[in-house]
Amino acid sequence: MGSSFVCTCGKTHVSLVDQVLVGKGVIGQLPEIVKRYQAKRVFLLADLNTYKAAGERVAALLSEAQIAYSQYVFEESHLEPDEAAVGSAVMHFDQSCDLVIGIGSGVINDIGKIVSSMADLPYMIVGTAPSMDGYASATSSMSLDGLKVSLPSKCANVIIGDIDFLKTAPDQMLIAGLGDMLAKYISICEWRIAHLLVGEYYCETIAQMIREALAKCVQNAGGLLKREDEAIAAVFEGLVKGGEAMMYAGLSRPASGIEHYFSHIWDMRGLAFHTPVALHGLQCAVGTLLSARIYEQLKQVKPDEQRALAYVEHFDTAAWQEVLGTLVGKGAKSMIALEVKEGKYDRQKHAQRLKKIIRLWPEILQIIEEEVPSSQEIEKVLKTIHGPLSAGEVGQEEALLPQVFQATKDIRDKYIASRLAWDLCIIDEIKLG
């Protein structure tokens, strides 16, 4: 099942998604699809909100088609994607079921993918909001020991985006969906830079697929909060393509970069210190705007090799690790362990990267120019959808932005804007206001 194609990049891209249905009334095809998988009993997973939005309709359709089902509906008013939620879903799983259907968006989908993966069963997701790009990905974004991680799980076999359900999502979830799509401006830019500087795999076919989906979302942004079918469909389809792009590439590069890491740091702070946490896509929207400002400043830089070498010579890793602990709590342990393994602060490795940066600087500037719109353009789109324009609007402390920016370089082993700024020794000079 699924699909594949041989790409000009030299790889055979594989998608594990059998079917994507987007449109008005497509939920009516659910019983037929369930029977196609020869399922005898279905396990439904939802929360109180998503069950009311679409779960009742799904249950009614199954009953009408005489398809047996069991269900588990989370009762928490705010469901965290963590060990407790996964454990609860697994413990309530009916082992007589032979197909799992998630009804919801981000958290429900991530948990549903883990449950279906553990049970080795087909998985379907009935989307209730065009709010995130995990519908078609084979990973689950979870909180594990205080650190935001992407756990290998299972890709949905079938994705159903019924416009009649999607358009009833709260405004903030619609805005979050477009916010997650705007992030792709940054992710494609950083993917190309990483390919140039550190030899990371890159595929132009996948990148162009994302660019086209993003352009369609931006073109229809004015109709999103009016709940126009075309705008809703554009965002949902774009988010699904984002997940497929990650699957094709075998990594998250096509869909996330530093803008997502702003969100991850804020999530980690929420777990550690119970600070406010907004929807992922809303945080990514702010992260995208901040990232555009960062790249505008990077475009004005003239690399100075001696200055950069001197900066790294005096960089105090132990002092920075203390700052990380204060900023994100126990999640800093995993970040520090990653650095021990990776060694990006190693002086010799830095010197080698720096020489390459200086040699390729004109090409880096060209990539930024081609991929990242001005911060004013991104701000204009966000204003169109009444999206957040500052860290404060998603509940974050503006005064901590410099530290949050610097911490983004330690989240994953990925070359992003903060790493480039550190390599150039200007990371302390970047203005985010």
Side-chain angles (χ1 to χ4, degrees):
M1 302 291 279
S3 62
S4 65
F5 66 94
V6 179
C7 183
T8 54
C9 75
K11 284 193 174 186
T12 297
H13 296 310
V14 177
S15 172
L16 301 177
V17 179
D18 298 331
Q19 189 174 11
V20 178
L21 291 174
V22 182
K24 292 178 68 67
V26 294
I27 193 63
Q29 301 179 43
L30 179 68
E32 176 188 341
I33 297 171
V34 170
K35 290 177 180 178
R36 192 182 308 153
Y37 284 89
Q38 301 181 337
K40 299 296 187 292
R41 189 176 189 87
V42 175
F43 183 72
L44 304 181
L45 184 69
D47 63 28
L48 290 174
N49 293 326
T50 64
Y51 192 78
K52 182 177 180 180
E56 292 175 353
R57 176 64 173 146
V58 169
L61 284 168
L62 294 176
S63 295
E64 290 168 10
Q66 297 184 331
I67 299 172
Y69 67 90
S70 299
Q71 64 185 38
Y72 177 57
V73 180
F74 287 98
E75 295 185 355
E76 289 85 349
S77 58
H78 178 72
L79 186 62
E80 286 289 344
D82 57 16
E83 299 95 331
V86 172
S88 183
V90 170
M91 292 179 70
H92 286 89
F93 176 69
D94 182 347
Q95 295 188 29
S96 68
C97 293
D98 49 9
L99 186 147
V100 178
I101 298 180
I103 303 163
S105 55
V107 177
I108 289 294
N109 186 48
D110 283 331
I111 296 172
K113 288 189 289 187
I114 291 175
V115 171
S116 60
S117 177
M118 293 181 66
D120 193 24
L121 295 177
Y123 176 62
M124 298 166 54
I125 179 68
V126 176
T128 55
S131 56
M132 53 87 222
D133 62 7
Y135 284 116
S137 74
T139 61
S140 293
S141 181
M142 306 297 292
S143 298
L144 179 64
D145 294 331
L147 180 68
K148 291 296 292 188
V149 298
S150 293
L151 295 180
S153 54
K154 178 181 177 64
C155 176
N157 299 90
V158 178
I159 300 167
I160 298 178
D162 193 310
I163 301 298
D164 292 329
F165 294 151
L166 298 175
K167 69 185 346 180
T168 65
D171 284 359
Q172 292 300 293
M173 298 193 83
L174 301 181
I175 298 167
L178 186 51
D180 207 341
M181 284 303 299
L182 291 176
K184 281 44 173 174
Y185 284 128
I186 309 301
S187 64
I188 297 299
C189 173
E190 292 185 334
W191 195 16
R192 288 181 64 187
I193 291 174
H195 173 65
L196 182 69
L197 288 181
V198 297
E200 191 172 306
Y201 161 76
Y202 171 77
C203 176
E204 177 59 24
T205 300
I206 295 174
Q208 187 57 26
M209 180 177 80
I210 292 295
R211 292 188 195 103
E212 291 173 0
L214 174 54
K216 188 175 181 181
C217 290
V218 172
Q219 289 164 7
N220 288 279
L224 188 61
L225 295 189
K226 298 175 184 177
R227 287 169 164 72
E228 294 177 359
D229 291 355
E230 189 174 1
I232 298 288
V235 173
F236 186 81
E237 289 172 347
L239 292 166
V240 170
K241 287 181 180 178
E244 287 183 317
M246 288 188 279
M247 196 185 321
Y248 285 149
L251 68 170
S252 62
R253 273 293 190 187
S256 72
I258 186 175
E259 77 298 323
H260 271 62
Y261 294 174
F262 277 103
S263 180
H264 290 343
I265 294 293
W266 291 330
D267 288 345
M268 291 168 68
R269 284 183 53 76
L271 287 169
F273 309 120
H274 306 291
T275 52
V277 176
L279 288 172
H280 171 73
L282 298 180
Q283 294 183 163
C284 285
V286 174
T288 300
L289 183 56
L290 294 172
S291 300
R293 291 173 181 160
I294 292 165
Y295 276 108
E296 285 172 344
Q297 293 171 71
L298 284 169
K299 285 163 62 175
Q300 305 305 314
V301 171
K302 183 177 179 180
D304 185 327
E305 184 174 13
Q306 293 308 311
R307 182 185 176 207
L309 291 173
Y311 175 87
V312 172
E313 180 74 24
H314 296 94
F315 183 75
D316 190 334
T317 304
W320 170 241
Q321 290 174 349
E322 288 186 18
V323 173
L324 272 182
T326 302
L327 185 67
V328 300
K330 67 178 183 180
K333 293 181 180 179
S334 297
M335 298 166 76
I336 292 168
L338 177 63
E339 169 54 27
V340 171
K341 178 181 178 181
E342 182 189 358
K344 64 179 173 293
Y345 297 139
D346 179 87
R347 294 169 186 171
Q348 185 176 356
K349 290 181 180 179
H350 166 258
Q352 293 171 347
R353 286 196 307 270
L354 183 61
K355 285 185 179 298
K356 197 168 186 180
I357 290 168
I358 293 171
R359 177 168 57 85
L360 297 173
W361 190 242
E363 294 177 55
I364 293 171
L365 294 179
Q366 184 63 31
I367 290 172
I368 299 170
E369 187 67 31
E370 290 174 355
E371 301 292 353
V372 183
S374 69
S375 58
Q376 289 82 4
E377 291 176 83
I378 292 174
E379 188 171 324
K380 182 179 178 181
V381 177
L382 288 174
K383 286 181 177 178
T384 298
I385 59 173
H386 306 296
L389 301 175
S390 68
E393 290 183 59
V394 289
Q396 305 304 319
E397 293 183 49
E398 299 278 355
L400 288 177
L401 274 180
Q403 290 183 6
V404 172
F405 166 54
Q406 295 200 28
T408 59
K409 69 185 182 308
D410 297 286
I411 290 257
R412 300 277 192 277
D413 180 10
K414 285 169 67 172
Y415 202 85
I416 56 176
S418 49
R419 294 201 176 196
L420 180 57
W422 188 85
D423 279 346
L424 291 167
C425 86
I426 63 162
I427 195 165
D428 299 322
E429 301 167 18
I430 295 291
K431 306 298 181 186
L432 298 168

